Amino acid sequence: MFGLDTLGKAVGQLVNGFETNVRQGQQQMEKLLGDNGVLDAATLSTITEMSDAYRTMAEDLLLHPLRFAGAELDLARKHAALGYYTLARLVGKDKQPVVEPEPDDRRFQAEDWHKHLTFDVLHQAYLINSRAFLNWAAGMEGIPPAGRDQMLFYARHLTSALSPSNFPATNPEVLRITWERKGMNLIDGGRQLIEDLRQNPSLFNVGMTDRSAFEVGRNLATTPGKVVFQNELMQLIQYSPTTETVSKRPLLIVPPWINKYYILDLTARNSFIKWLVNQGQTVFIISWRNPGPSLRDKGWEDYMELGPLAAMDAVTEATSEEQMNLIGYCIGGTLLGSTLAWLKKKGRNPVASATYLTTLLDFSDPGGIGVFINDHSIRGIEKMLERKGYLDGRAMAFTFNLLRENELFWSFWTNNYLKGQKPAAFDLLYWNTDGTNLPARMHSFYLRQMYLNNRLVQPDSLSLLGESINLSEIEVPSFFLSARQDHIAKWKTTYKGALAHGGDVRFVLSGSGHIAGVINPPYKEKYGYWTNDTLVPDADTWFEQSEHHPGSWWPHWLEWIARFSDGDVPARIPGEGKLPAIENAPGSYVKVKAAEAVKQ
């Protein structure tokens, strides 16, 4: 016993000394590479954290050899079972596979993986090894939750990258297609790779859709309207009515500026904006500018002042209405909450109702993106922001894609570059690749004050435009729509934000995720939604007591918003009020690409 204890202490001291030397070496390497501009600070911090995660796993091997031995024993049993499975197939016997992919794992669905014994055994061995590795990493002791999530994120990415489906020599589908096409698939794939590299200079993103199939204003964002106001951060679009009368109170939408507004106005059948117009709403929407280095000093307060506050004044001028209904989507909803709390402190009441779509107000559990939220990572991002003046929207898109890497990266890698298939024309994926940049000052504030320090829900912790804000003081009736499978704004965390919000609060949970849970037109009759008019402290209890409804949440919301319409008036024509039309919708701001904005 004494010998084992002494050995354990010696190993612990060895590990601690090794860790100290490694950290010192990392700091020197970061300084050397960063100061010489070889890699930007954000990339360096990511590489450092990745190496930290893998080093932690290696240390666990030294400190807990018995646990690792137990995992190895279990792994050996499964490989023995795979050996028996292999022998059974060799002699022509049917036998149940030792392991099968998860139902949503499409990497090994093709018949080629099961028809040929070599590849059948290969993909099963990969699944056995990868699951054993991830289970072992998940069982590591003494790691705080944030560190564990980060470690599991990098462990998952390592196993995903090593999948046999990602390499031509170990993917039977690719080998068959290469034989059938005499290698032309690899040549076509190489051409696509070169084109994707050309489309994204210095920032590689895998091609996800046929870019030539879409054009904003031609077959996307086609709902008729006019730009009636603009400033250096946004254009305000007013849509043309399709009904003889409209609700007296206009509707203003504050979309996210991490992506472009036309997620709400894709093809006509899926357009939330067109549906709203057809329901007799006078719809206005903010179209954010795609910023470059010249807007580096625009902060959260500027987005509030030049965004919803300026837009509300413009809507009032265009319609002569002092009050309106507002919708905020994602970070647009976070800005909406900030604005309503500020308006309350100022004693102003221009908002009759507020709708929050998949919005974080409480950031205590930021979802998958939380693996990048720590002081070290943010300092690295801030150094990069200071140097460039903006965060490239393509980098942001790539980061979000990594949260579902097999679906949003490796599947396209295999189809595009190994099989030589052109990506399909898909409007949602086109929008997903049409990113926007983020100004340095705003993004630093957002990461630190919201994600890292969670100050928005702390009463009077944040000051904006000279006023401390408190969400609980808001008296505006609000409707929170969250999505059950949302990995960006987790629904239980958005529920906490609803609890922190003052006034009469309605919470509704949609099926599906961050996009499909919101963009769910009634004709599809998909996903369904849950309602419970009583907010209780615990989200799980709210869900257990909720009622499920089939179809889209849109008509349910329309019934709620009708309470704040204040009657009907003759339809309003954009440009015929006090605000003249500047140009046709969708305007010019939305057409600027992230790479083009950098040059402005």
Side-chain angles (χ1 to χ4, degrees):
M1 179 67 70
F2 175 77
L4 286 175
D5 184 59
T6 303
L7 179 61
K9 289 181 179 179
V11 170
Q13 291 173 355
L14 178 64
V15 167
N16 288 336
F18 172 71
E19 183 172 349
T20 300
N21 291 332
V22 168
R23 288 197 180 280
Q24 291 174 348
Q26 285 176 339
Q27 291 170 0
Q28 293 171 0
M29 185 64 70
E30 282 191 37
K31 180 171 175 50
L32 176 65
L33 295 177
D35 290 349
N36 289 286
V38 178
L39 293 172
D40 65 55
T43 303
L44 278 171
S45 66
T46 300
I47 292 173
T48 299
E49 288 175 3
M50 188 184 300
S51 66
D52 283 345
Y54 296 143
R55 190 187 71 248
T56 301
M57 297 176 200
E59 290 172 358
D60 189 75
L61 290 178
L62 292 172
L63 294 172
H64 303 94
L66 292 179
R67 191 172 72 81
F68 181 70
E72 281 288 293
L73 191 61
D74 183 63
L75 184 63
R77 282 196 293 264
K78 289 180 178 175
H79 275 288
L82 184 60
Y84 287 125
Y85 173 86
T86 304
L87 289 173
R89 279 208 57 183
L90 282 172
V91 298
K93 293 183 178 179
D94 290 331
K95 192 171 178 61
Q96 191 70 19
V98 178
V99 61
E100 296 190 60
E102 297 293 337
D104 60 348
D105 186 350
R106 295 180 291 180
R107 292 175 294 177
F108 309 110
Q109 286 185 343
E111 181 61 27
D112 302 79
W113 289 101
H114 312 282
K115 181 170 62 176
H116 306 292
L117 178 60
T118 300
F119 296 105
D120 187 8
V121 173
L122 176 65
H123 95 271
Q124 288 194 58
Y126 163 76
L127 290 173
I128 290 171
N129 291 335
S130 60
R131 289 176 185 176
F133 176 59
L134 292 174
N135 288 336
W136 166 70
M140 291 173 61
E141 301 170 356
I143 300 172
R148 181 181 301 278
D149 289 345
Q150 189 178 66
M151 185 180 63
L152 289 175
F153 175 83
Y154 290 121
R156 193 189 79 225
H157 274 272
L158 178 63
T159 60
S160 295
L162 294 176
S163 170
S165 59
N166 299 334
F167 304 96
T170 53
N171 187 321
E173 279 188 279
V174 173
L175 291 174
R176 174 176 54 79
I177 293 171
T178 302
W179 175 261
E180 292 171 351
R181 296 194 57 198
K182 298 181 173 57
M184 286 303 298
N185 56 304
L186 298 177
I187 294 174
D188 290 342
R191 288 173 181 155
Q192 288 192 68
L193 177 59
I194 292 171
E195 175 61 18
D196 287 339
L197 289 169
R198 187 187 67 80
Q199 289 276 349
N200 297 282
S202 76
L203 250 175
F204 174 69
N205 274 346
V206 63
M208 302 175 75
T209 187
D210 181 2
R211 298 182 186 90
S212 64
F214 299 103
E215 182 183 348
V216 175
R218 178 174 61 85
N219 54 2
L220 297 174
T222 58
T223 302
K226 305 284 185 181
V227 174
V228 295
F229 175 82
Q230 67 182 35
N231 57 36
E232 58 185 324
L233 268 186
M234 64 90 171
Q235 288 187 318
L236 182 67
I237 300 171
Q238 179 183 354
Y239 289 96
S240 302
T242 57
T243 56
E244 291 186 1
T245 61
V246 295
S247 296
K248 186 172 184 288
R249 286 193 177 126
L251 179 67
L252 170 63
I253 303 175
V254 185
W257 58 91
I258 290 174
N259 287 99
K260 294 182 178 177
Y261 84 85
Y262 66 88
I263 185 61
L264 298 168
D265 190 26
L266 291 171
T267 55
R269 293 193 75 197
N270 295 332
S271 172
F272 184 53
I273 291 173
K274 183 173 178 57
W275 182 83
L276 288 171
V277 171
N278 290 343
Q279 308 311 308
Q281 297 289 329
T282 301
V283 180
F284 293 81
I285 194 167
I286 290 173
S287 174
W288 297 102
R289 184 175 176 184
N290 206 336
S294 65
L295 296 178
R296 64 181 301 139
D297 293 323
K298 295 300 180 186
W300 190 265
E301 294 172 306
D302 297 295
Y303 270 80
M304 187 172 82
E305 187 172 24
L306 299 174
L309 290 176
M312 282 189 274
D313 289 341
V315 170
T316 295
E317 190 171 357
T319 64
S320 299
E321 292 296 325
E322 296 295 332
Q323 278 201 320
M324 63 204 71
N325 299 307
L326 262 71
I327 296 177
Y329 190 178
C330 189
I331 189 176
T334 310
L335 184 65
L336 173 57
S338 305
T339 305
L340 292 181
W342 182 86
L343 286 168
K344 176 60 180 177
K345 282 292 175 69
K346 301 298 287 188
R348 295 172 55 186
N349 188 31
V351 182
S353 76
T355 298
Y356 297 89
L357 306 179
T358 58
T359 293
L360 287 173
L361 298 179
D362 183 304
F363 288 77
S364 56
D365 184 357
I369 200 71
V371 299
F372 302 107
I373 304 302
N374 56 73
D375 191 64
H376 179 259
S377 289
I378 292 176
R379 275 190 280 111
I381 293 171
E382 286 173 336
K383 289 178 182 177
M384 181 269 292
L385 292 172
E386 177 63 27
R387 182 174 62 83
K388 297 176 66 175
Y390 66 96
L391 178 72
D392 196 304
R394 295 167 296 168
M396 177 66 74
F398 182 74
T399 300
F400 279 109
N401 290 344
L402 289 183
L403 301 182
R404 293 157 60 194
E405 73 283 357
N406 285 325
E407 181 180 351
L408 295 178
F409 184 83
W410 290 114
S411 64
F412 291 100
W413 170 275
T414 302
N415 286 332
N416 297 1
Y417 310 138
L418 303 187
K419 297 179 184 178
Q421 300 173 357
K422 291 196 72 172
F426 188 14
D427 55 358
L428 181 59
L429 290 179
Y430 178 88
W431 167 85
N432 190 53
T433 58
D434 188 15
T436 60
N437 304 325
L438 304 176
R441 184 179 167 210
M442 186 286 304
H443 193 52
S444 175
F445 177 92
Y446 183 50
L447 290 178
R448 280 205 173 272
Q449 306 307 331
M450 307 293 184
Y451 273 103
L452 187 62
N453 297 321
N454 195 22
R455 293 181 63 189
L456 184 57
V457 290
Q458 300 172 28
D460 297 306
S461 179
L462 280 182
S463 290
L464 299 173
L465 298 176
E467 296 287 349
S468 61
I469 61 173
N470 185 345
L471 295 180
S472 66
E473 294 178 348
I474 299 172
E475 297 178 347
V476 175
S478 60
F479 183 106
F480 281 76
L481 185 282
S482 294
R484 195 177 181 189
Q485 284 84 43
D486 195 337
H487 63 288
I488 295 172
K490 296 170 70 173
W491 83 264
K492 292 181 183 180
T493 313
T494 64
Y495 187 85
K496 291 181 181 180
L499 291 175
H501 196 285
D504 178 20
V505 177
R506 178 81 59 91
F507 189 88
V508 173
L509 183 64
S510 170
S512 196
H514 193 70
I515 302 300
V518 174
I519 311 304
N520 183 25
Y523 80 87
K524 289 186 175 181
E525 299 182 353
K526 293 176 66 174
Y527 307 132
Y529 60 97
W530 291 261
T531 62
N532 179 358
D533 292 345
T534 303
L535 285 187
V536 295
D538 179 64
D540 288 321
T541 303
W542 178 92
F543 183 73
E544 290 169 4
Q545 298 173 351
S546 66
E547 179 183 359
H548 181 261
H549 309 269
S552 170
W553 62 272
W554 293 9
H556 177 78
W557 170 85
L558 191 66
E559 289 181 16
W560 179 83
I561 200 74
R563 296 161 46 195
F564 311 102
S565 66
D566 198 26
D568 293 337
V569 296
R572 305 176 177 104
I573 308 300
E576 292 188 359
K578 294 181 181 178
L579 291 180
I582 298 173
E583 60 179 319
N584 289 330
S588 54
Y589 282 18
V590 72
K591 296 181 180 180
V592 177
K593 304 292 185 183
E596 296 169 355
V598 173
K599 303 172 185 176
Q600 294 181 352

